[in-house]
Amino acid sequence: MNLYELTLHEARDLLDKKEISSRELTRSVLDRIEAVDGQVGAYLTVAADSALAQADAADRAIAEGGISPLTGIPLAIKDVLCTRGLRTTCASRILENFIPPYDAAVITKLKAADAVLVGKTNMDEFAMGSSNEHSGFHITRNPWDFSRIPGGSSGGSAAAVSADMCIAALGSDTGGSIRQPASHCGVAGLKPTYGRVSRYGLVAFASSLDQIGPLAKDVADCAVLMNAIAGYDAKDSTSVPVEAPDYTAALRDGLKGIRIGLPREYFETEGVDPEVKAAVRSGIDTIQSLGAEIMDVSLPRSEQVVAVYYLIAPSEASSNLARYDGVKYGYRDKEQTTLMEMYRSTRSRGFGSEVQRRIILGTYALSAGYYDAYYGKASQVRTLIMQDFKKAFESCDAILAPVAPSPAFKIGEKTDDPLTMYLSDIFTLSANLAGIPGMSVPCGFSREGLPIGLQILGSHFQEETLLRVAYNFEQATDFHTRKPAL
Ligand code: GLN
């Protein structure tokens, strides 16, 4: 077995026993990137020198007995997280040469744990998209089929995990951007409860929806990463002062007696690929066979979710992205002679078309005269969506659902039709609107050999329940062990 193929917990074992060094492991991952990333395109920046220096520091720490669960583990970071001294672009031309003077809170935590940061991964520009086709630099290909998208917006992180170009990764999820690429690339991904992980240093897309979370080769690795990144942070005003548990402890319990809800509306949704339906159905059967009690629940506002999200997220984005004006940081069109022309030209040239579309949509929805009809109304329906989940979780502990209506689609298939692209987010958006945690685990493959994910949703701060369901499911199946032929 090649070292780059190891899971995080397998690598931990070998590092602790001193059978391998972090330098060997990091070298192996860097060689793998060298060998396959030309075809996949998962990375925007590979920080080989600093990664090897961090690996050496980790090896010294291990020799001195100062081991944390992440010491010496090579990780990939979505390029939406600020890394001090290391280019952070958000896959946007407007931040092409931006070198942050500070680390995001989660990066500070990873560095304190002696993890190795291999590089920054590709994404849809400012995390707006479901396919990585909206990156301002290059597309990322799905490692299972190069003619297909890896999902988005954390498509680079998901592809890097799936193609063994890192041991595990971080992504961000505003409306599905961890769960959907995890599903399309056949890896595990967890979006935590809103407020569980500090957003300090996460470049903002839609602040009331954004969360950072892990993408990993298996569920146990997600739990290890959650232990490293979860917890209160005074620098994020929406961080919740609730003690983070030991997430790996959640993996010990079985599923006897756990109550699983199936939202009627999700299973009646039209246009869901029959192979997705079949894989999710057999996932539910497996979970039932492990002792779970299955019941019907209702999420009556499911039909409104796409409309509500695509008003709230662009509204917040239009406000958050006002800061890229060519004055403070990032790209500036220096050829213009007046301030207004400089603003206009900088933003027209610096932002890609999807980002511009969202800024226009959001500005319109927030404008005087339309605010009540669009943003205001969407916020009211959002409250009803939250209440639907609250009610559902009175009778069940977790909800099972598809992640995406189809396996990974073809590159170019939906780029001309933003609405069709938006509709593919139908099953993931509600978790962000409600602020609840969600997870994706591999539950099958299509006839064409494309991975399919099973989504598990839980009530606020119930990540442990998700991990428990996901882990038991994983132990009973072998989908997570399969690898793309690269
Ligand atoms: N696909 C959704 C969007 O384009 C969600 C993106 C995300 O979670 N960052 O807004």
Side-chain angles (χ1 to χ4, degrees):
M1 189 190 204
N2 299 298
L3 295 186
Y4 56 73
E5 289 177 56
L6 295 170
T7 64
L8 201 167
H9 54 90
E10 287 166 351
R12 174 82 278 128
D13 230 36
L14 296 176
L15 285 166
D16 290 355
K17 290 191 200 136
K18 303 200 173 53
E19 286 177 24
I20 61 169
S21 68
S22 173
R23 177 169 263 270
E24 286 163 345
L25 179 61
T26 304
R27 189 70 269 166
S28 164
V29 166
L30 290 169
D31 289 346
R32 175 71 170 170
I33 295 171
E34 189 72 35
V36 300
D37 204 35
Q39 293 160 286
V40 179
Y43 281 91
L44 289 172
T45 304
V46 178
D49 293 343
S50 62
L52 288 168
Q54 288 166 350
D56 289 341
D59 283 330
R60 285 195 295 276
I62 294 170
E64 287 159 17
I67 302 174
S68 90
L70 293 182
T71 306
I73 302 288
L75 301 175
I77 308 294
K78 185 179 182 181
D79 209 19
V80 71
L81 290 163
C82 284
T83 42
R84 188 168 155 199
L86 183 61
R87 192 171 80 116
T88 299
T89 67
C90 260
S92 182
R93 292 279 170 196
I94 215 158
L95 286 176
E96 187 166 2
N97 300 310
F98 176 59
I99 300 189
Y102 70 106
D103 278 324
V106 291
I107 301 296
T108 304
K109 288 187 175 202
L110 296 184
K111 286 184 177 171
D114 285 320
V116 172
L117 307 187
V118 176
K120 308 294 292 287
T121 53
N122 200 13
M123 53 186 280
D124 290 292
E125 185 177 4
F126 285 103
M128 298 177 191
S130 314
S131 68
N132 263 42
E133 291 165 295
H134 298 312
S135 167
F137 300 105
H138 56 78
I139 56 168
T140 301
R141 295 179 186 277
N142 191 313
W144 293 88
D145 177 348
F146 288 156
S147 71
R148 292 177 189 271
I149 56 106
S153 64
S154 311
S157 285
V161 173
S162 149
D164 290 315
M165 289 189 275
C166 60
I167 299 301
L170 289 187
S172 68
D173 189 312
T174 303
S177 278
I178 289 175
R179 289 161 285 156
Q180 184 256 23
S183 170
H184 286 342
C185 290
V187 303
L190 170 62
K191 178 206 98 71
T193 306
Y194 185 74
R196 178 80 284 186
V197 176
S198 170
R199 290 181 297 110
Y200 177 75
L202 166 71
V203 178
F205 162 13
S207 310
S208 78
L209 304 162
D210 300 338
Q211 263 294 287
I212 300 162
L215 291 115
K217 295 178 190 178
D218 66 19
V219 176
D221 287 0
C222 285
V224 174
L225 278 166
M226 278 301 290
N227 278 356
I229 62 173
Y232 175 67
D233 176 16
K235 291 203 193 102
D236 171 359
S237 61
T238 58
S239 171
V240 180
V242 174
E243 188 77 21
D246 173 5
Y247 291 102
T248 59
L251 311 178
R252 280 187 227 126
D253 299 326
L255 293 186
K256 269 246 140 17
I258 196 164
R259 297 165 309 163
I260 300 284
L262 305 181
R264 200 166 306 134
E265 295 78 5
Y266 284 23
F267 292 89
E268 285 165 3
T269 304
E270 276 173 41
V272 179
D273 186 293
E275 291 190 286
V276 169
K277 276 190 193 166
V280 168
R281 199 11 90 190
S282 97
I284 293 165
D285 292 345
T286 303
I287 287 171
Q288 184 168 27
S289 74
L290 296 171
E293 186 191 329
I294 307 286
M295 60 184 61
D296 260 4
V297 292
S298 178
L299 296 170
R301 274 78 178 198
S302 297
E303 228 183 288
Q304 282 77 43
V305 161
V306 175
V308 169
Y309 173 88
Y310 278 99
L311 282 168
I312 289 179
S315 296
E316 294 187 17
S318 73
S319 165
N320 276 326
L321 271 60
R323 70 190 65 165
Y324 306 104
D325 57 5
V327 177
K328 302 179 199 72
Y329 38 65
Y331 168 74
R332 172 190 300 182
D333 182 354
K334 296 203 179 84
E335 283 157 31
Q336 306 304 321
T337 47
T338 69
L339 184 64
M340 278 314 285
E341 278 167 14
M342 190 281 285
Y343 284 157
R344 185 172 330 165
S345 178
T346 295
R347 288 168 66 82
S348 301
R349 291 181 180 193
F351 291 134
S353 57
E354 182 61 26
V355 172
Q356 294 192 34
R357 177 165 27 247
R358 306 246 184 151
I359 291 173
I360 293 168
L361 196 65
T363 306
Y364 183 80
L366 290 177
S367 57
Y370 294 105
Y371 183 97
D372 289 342
Y374 294 115
Y375 182 78
K377 187 59 80 185
S379 300
Q380 288 172 328
V381 182
R382 179 181 187 176
T383 303
L384 298 176
I385 292 167
M386 285 178 194
Q387 288 169 357
D388 286 350
F389 275 105
K390 195 158 182 271
K391 184 141 188 289
F393 286 123
E394 279 166 13
S395 57
C396 67
D397 304 303
I399 284 176
L400 294 182
V403 179
S406 71
F409 47 86
K410 290 265 188 199
I411 290 168
E413 193 179 316
K414 296 187 202 270
T415 33
D416 294 337
D417 186 358
L419 201 58
T420 322
M421 186 85 91
Y422 298 168
L423 284 169
S424 71
D425 296 335
I426 183 156
F427 297 122
T428 48
L429 303 173
S430 56
N432 303 72
L433 291 168
I436 59 170
M439 192 161 188
S440 172
V441 278
C443 74
F445 285 84
S446 71
R447 271 189 305 277
E448 290 180 279
L450 301 169
I452 297 169
L454 172 68
Q455 185 171 208
I456 311 164
L457 299 169
S459 191
H460 296 100
F461 298 102
Q462 296 305 310
E463 284 83 359
E464 292 157 284
T465 308
L466 307 190
L467 289 163
R468 178 179 154 203
V469 174
Y471 184 73
N472 280 282
F473 176 71
E474 200 179 70
Q475 293 302 298
T477 54
D478 72 350
F479 306 114
H480 64 292
T481 61
R482 301 194 204 166
K483 303 246 184 207
L486 281 176

